[in-house]
Amino acid sequence: MERFSVATFPFYLMLSLSAVLATLGLVANSTATVIGAMIIAPLMAPILSLAFGIATYDWPLIARSFVTVLAGTVCVVAIGYLGVMAIGARIVGPEILARTSPSMIDLAVALAAGCAGAYAQTRPSIADSMQGSRSLCPCSSPCRCWNWPGSGQ
């Protein structure tokens, strides 16, 4: 879990590409593009590292993971905001509205996907099957909706 708690250049590169894809997917109302952005987003790794640190009372791991999650979130929000401003989109479509009012079902999906991801981290033999659960827990798309002009957020 130590390696997931530190932000590296590849982490920020993939996170930035994911942010661009998700922003464009939201603007184009393309669910497939948004899901693709979620699949390549590396933000789940430091979130799992943070959860592991909390579970094991590893304060240095908690601090590193928290900083990585916070920095990643700020990066995603900034890229999404700048992307929307550059495009000039002012219309809120159904892709955005669906992500600005989560329900209890969304919470249940996120918790189940998080449990599946945590379990897969302990079982290398099934780790390759976890791409699907990463797309179920949309960690980066709501970040772009926070700054969407006219979204009411």
Side-chain angles (χ1 to χ4, degrees), residues 71-93:
T73 302
V74 168
C75 175
V76 167
V77 170
I79 289 171
Y81 181 79
L82 294 173
V84 169
M85 291 295 116
I87 294 170
R90 298 281 185 227
I91 298 172
V92 178

Side-chain angles (χ1 to χ4, degrees), residues 12-59:
Y12 283 115
L13 177 65
M14 292 303 292
L15 192 65
S16 299
L17 291 171
S18 172
V20 169
L21 280 173
T23 301
L24 295 173
L26 289 169
V27 170
N29 280 321
S30 171
T31 303
T33 305
V34 173
I35 291 172
M38 288 182 222
I39 290 173
I40 68 167
L43 204 50
M44 186 62 78
I47 291 171
L48 287 174
S49 178
L50 177 62
F52 184 79
I54 291 170
T56 59
Y57 300 108
D58 185 344
W59 296 109

